[in-house]
Amino acid sequence: MKVVYEQVHEMEEESAHIRAVKKTSTIQSAIDLLKSGDGVIWCRHQNEIIRIPMHQIYYVESVDKHTYVYLMNTWYETKHRLYELENVLDPLFARCSKAMIINLRKVKQVQYEMGGRMRAELFNGEEVIISRSYVKEIKRRLDL
């Protein structure tokens, strides 16, 4: 795919123009990212408040009424509930179980398991289970 970048003056409005034969999930993801920008989530770690860019997040998990944001090799706690984060995270995040949301950009591979579930291996080597009630949506979003 050919990519063209053109710098504009500060007074001009920034815009993006995508021309494609078909609107694939990859193109839709690019559109969604351009529309939303790369947001952040505020998290806590010990006594610090840290700003975490969404693109660094691998998954978000709720355990015992606490919500944790996992990055490549560390984690942080956030005060937000999963249902709140679903409305804030960009469209490339998807619920994979009642207690977890994964970043689909961080999925290396998926495997089918018994009972209709799937197992996703992330680029950091961790594996997460996709509950059978979420498999259909994950498959659709990954174009499987």
Side-chain angles (χ1 to χ4, degrees):
M1 175 182 285
K2 178 180 174 183
V3 177
V4 177
Y5 169 76
E6 177 185 344
Q7 187 170 357
V8 295
H9 298 291
E10 287 182 30
M11 298 297 199
E12 293 181 68
E13 181 181 8
E14 294 178 323
S15 66
H17 182 88
I18 298 174
R19 296 178 58 206
V21 174
K22 183 180 176 188
K23 191 178 200 180
T24 64
S25 64
T26 303
I27 290 175
Q28 184 60 53
S29 297
I31 292 167
D32 294 338
L33 182 60
L34 288 166
K35 284 182 177 179
S36 69
D38 197 16
V40 297
I41 295 177
W42 290 94
C43 296
R44 292 185 298 263
H45 187 64
Q46 296 169 357
N47 292 329
E48 296 179 335
I49 305 295
I50 299 170
R51 191 175 168 236
I52 306 295
M54 284 186 203
H55 72 272
Q56 291 182 3
I57 299 171
Y58 277 70
Y59 62 95
V60 182
E61 183 177 33
S62 179
V63 178
D64 295 331
K65 297 188 180 185
H66 294 274
T67 306
Y68 301 97
V69 175
Y70 293 85
L71 307 184
M72 179 179 245
N73 55 13
T74 190
W75 58 270
Y76 299 96
E77 187 173 355
T78 183
K79 67 177 184 171
H80 301 289
R81 301 278 183 212
L82 284 183
Y83 72 88
E84 295 172 327
L85 291 174
E86 277 185 302
N87 296 325
V88 174
L89 292 167
D90 73 46
L92 283 174
F93 283 83
R95 185 73 80 132
C96 67
S97 71
K98 185 178 176 184
M100 187 181 290
I101 299 170
I102 60 171
N103 183 346
L104 298 176
R105 290 177 288 215
K106 303 297 184 182
V107 174
K108 181 178 180 180
Q109 67 179 7
V110 292
Q111 293 177 322
Y112 292 98
E113 294 208 328
M114 294 182 71
R117 300 183 317 174
M118 291 175 76
R119 179 181 303 270
E121 181 185 349
L122 307 179
F123 283 111
N124 66 354
E126 288 194 54
E127 292 184 348
V128 298
I129 300 296
I130 301 168
S131 300
R132 76 174 172 234
S133 57
Y134 297 97
V135 165
K136 186 176 180 180
E137 178 63 15
I138 297 289
K139 284 172 56 176
R140 184 187 71 74
R141 307 258 313 268
L142 291 175
D143 275 341
L144 298 177

